[in-house]
Amino acid sequence: MKSELVEEDLKHIWHPAAQMKDYEQNPPIAIVKGDGPWLYTEDGKRILDVVSSWWCNLLGHCNKEISDELSKQAHTLEHVIFADFTHPWAVRVAHELLQILPKGLTRFNFADNGSSSVEMALKMAFQYQLQTGHEKRVRFACLSEGYHGETIGALSVGSMDLYARMYKPMMMDNLHIQAPDCFRCPCGKGRGKCDCECLAFAQKAFEEHGGELAALIVEPLLQGAAGMRIYPERYLRGLRELCTKYGVLLIADEIATGFGRTGEIFACVKAGITPDIMTLSKAITGGYMPMSVVCTTDKVYEAFYADFKEGKAFVHSHTYAGNPLACACALCVMRILKRDQVIEKARETARWLTQEFEKSFGDLKEIGEIRHIGLIHAIELVKDKETKEPFPSSLRLGYRIYRRALSKGLLLRCIGDVLYFNPPLNITRDELSYGLSIASACVREELAAVKQ
């Protein structure tokens, strides 16, 4: 029986990324409280959130220190227009980012969500090329199976037909490069047993189209929406070299990977590269406030710096750019990460979690691969482990496991038949063990049902 709250929700609210007809059978769950990695329903049940509520909840729900900072800021300055004005909290965010970003990223433009930051990065790269004498550089390159958001520009540099197919008449004509896939390698190699032969696809694309490209945008080391596909640092370094060689800007979309998700503060730091432009969002405020930042170099910035009459200004704005509430949260997150050595401790937890995933799922012949980077761990279910043949999509196997786990108090997410953990960095081993026990049981129960 649906509660009054859920009934009212279904009368008026259109939820994201959902077929609302599914909600007739599986209505939304009403959450009234959060604490650490736990969510509490209106009827008192608790759910372990091991996906950080779409990857943004970095340090647990209702983290007391962040909540106190937000409350304090709300009584000091809640918002101010960011054109012609500034405030101490935005300046401090810039200063703190300078200490942790790859060397050379020194200029910051604020927005209020991930897709908006991608749009800003694309426009910035396009205008940079135009204003430095490269008028023919009007296209963007991206990787197959990439995801960068769901506004039109962001969709145009993504390669996920699930999100983009019907909107293609509205989208830009971009260059989609075959991405690395270490589980189903297009070059017939295996994870950790290659020389990044797949980089040849990018090399060929640059040889043929390098002169017309404004920028290449990538998710560094981890293609999240593609099914938590993890690729080698060497491949990312190869892309950096190609961009430098052909005069193409490299945009690193660290919206999902930033602030410790890969085991380092940023994936680009892990790979030892500096992109020309970097986008940040999600975990930057610990999941408290919408915020994004586009980071770039002095070289890019200087292409826009001129007398007003030259018309070179970057005329792009967002109402909530540099919002003081969001900045206060971001400052608190960065302080906690440094002071409490959160990322270093999460690395230790990640090593333990990898062993526990092997114990929990390693014996199942339907587990095609267990893959991981930082605390992010994923399993991919397959019908045949040898051939890597997937289960029929009509089974909705991953979705069935997700629903079963949710009924038992575990919030997983599925991407097709890939199920993953992407928990808060400060989650405990006991909490992870609890989640793994439910996940393992649900996977086994649904696999048994499929065989019947």
Side-chain angles (χ1 to χ4, degrees), residues 380-451:
E380 180 159 350
L381 297 159
V382 293
K383 185 177 181 180
D384 187 306
K385 191 166 185 172
E386 291 301 316
T387 65
K388 301 176 183 177
E389 177 190 356
F391 283 98
S393 59
S394 59
L395 280 177
R396 298 187 78 182
L397 180 58
Y399 180 75
R400 287 164 55 176
I401 295 168
Y402 154 71
R403 295 301 317 184
R404 185 181 286 266
L406 196 54
S407 72
K408 296 186 177 186
L410 177 67
L411 174 54
L412 287 169
R413 290 289 291 183
C414 64
I415 304 170
D417 287 340
V418 175
L419 296 150
Y420 66 87
F421 279 35
N422 188 4
L425 297 187
N426 57 356
I427 194 170
T428 68
R429 295 187 183 189
D430 284 346
E431 290 160 342
L432 287 168
S433 292
Y434 174 85
L436 264 176
S437 66
I438 296 175
S440 177
C442 292
V443 167
R444 292 169 192 275
E445 289 164 9
E446 285 297 336
L447 285 174
V450 165
K451 294 173 184 176

Side-chain angles (χ1 to χ4, degrees), residues 12-34:
H12 304 291
I13 295 178
W14 194 344
H15 286 266
Q19 171 48 260
M20 291 304 296
K21 189 172 183 179
D22 284 349
Y23 280 35
E24 294 175 9
Q25 183 176 353
N26 298 304
I29 297 169
I31 299 298
V32 296
K33 179 184 174 183

